[in-house]
Amino acid sequence: MTDTGVAADGPWLIVGLGNPGSEYAGNRHNVGFMVADLLAERMGGRFKAHKARAQVVEGRIGSPGPGSRRVVVAKPMSFMNLSGGPTTALRDFYKVPTARLIAVHDELDIDYGVLRLKLGGGDNGHNGLKSITKSLGAEYHRVRFGIGRPPGRMPVADFVLKDFSSAERKELAYFVDRAADAVEALVVEGLERAQGTYNS
């Protein structure tokens, strides 16, 4: 799907990546869900089940009036490595061009709490991105939330499926809040301006 013929006020699709289930809720791998939850809270919306095997909330972000943008915030209810299926189904249902898709996800190769915004690129071994890229191609936006590398010889899979440490949790709310700000800036102001503010 291309931008050709897409209405200027068409929605953006913001997909927070994570694993469903309470046992995963505090994991590093679930920071995308945390950001999605905060965006929904800011919009005053509540997640509802969608036939695309996802929970969604629809609303607007940005200043009231012509500066606001329609968005669909989603949390795939498949496991991380199957995120592409629900994301594609939502893209098709809401008729969102891939260039208006934002994936919010954890990133190992960035220090904890640091953000990087980008369009396109590889998956860097992230199974959620790998699944989405396989389904939709790579030309979608990413808001990458740094979680750092595992200590010592801890396997990556164990590290991402552990909760944030007690030291990390002291700053987690601040970093999640900043990531939600970055998503809003990307939608309202565009990638370049958002990168200038948040690619610290």
Side-chain angles (χ1 to χ4, degrees):
M1 186 183 293
T2 68
D3 285 325
T4 307
V6 174
D9 65 344
W12 283 72
L13 175 59
I14 301 162
V15 180
L17 297 183
N19 285 309
S22 58
E23 67 269 36
Y24 300 105
N27 289 180
R28 293 180 177 92
H29 224 17
N30 270 45
V31 73
F33 274 18
M34 298 175 195
V35 175
D37 286 339
L38 180 56
L39 288 167
E41 184 182 316
R42 289 180 177 185
M43 293 190 302
R46 299 182 63 155
F47 282 100
K48 296 177 182 173
H50 191 279
K51 65 182 181 181
R53 287 182 303 136
Q55 290 185 353
V56 303
V57 58
E58 299 177 42
R60 301 188 82 91
I61 59 178
S63 304
S68 71
R69 299 286 184 271
R70 288 176 57 208
V71 296
V72 178
V73 179
K75 298 189 293 186
M77 290 290 106
S78 60
F79 282 95
M80 180 70 87
N81 61 344
L82 299 173
S83 299
T87 301
T88 302
L90 290 168
R91 190 278 310 259
D92 293 346
F93 181 85
Y94 288 103
K95 298 179 173 57
V96 176
T98 305
R100 272 199 207 151
L101 166 65
I102 302 170
V104 186
H105 64 92
D106 56 303
E107 178 60 64
L108 286 159
D109 286 338
I110 303 175
D111 290 340
Y112 174 60
V114 173
L115 298 175
R116 291 285 185 272
L117 282 61
K118 63 184 283 193
L119 173 63
D123 56 60
N124 204 22
H126 192 288
N127 288 331
L129 297 182
K130 198 175 292 184
S131 179
I132 293 173
T133 297
K134 185 177 179 183
S135 297
L136 294 173
E139 290 305 301
Y140 55 92
H141 291 87
R142 299 100 187 275
V143 173
R144 306 156 74 204
F145 186 111
I147 60 170
R149 300 294 301 186
R153 299 190 175 193
M154 181 188 291
V156 165
D158 293 346
F159 179 69
V160 300
L161 293 176
K162 285 189 183 305
D163 287 1
F164 286 98
S165 69
S166 55
E168 288 170 334
R169 284 198 294 272
K170 290 176 182 174
E171 297 183 287
L172 182 59
Y174 168 76
F175 288 139
V176 168
D177 190 70
R178 192 164 184 270
D181 289 346
V183 172
E184 293 184 348
L186 173 54
V187 171
V188 175
E189 301 173 14
L191 178 62
E192 195 171 326
R193 288 188 65 181
Q195 284 176 324
T197 304
Y198 294 98
N199 278 18
S200 51

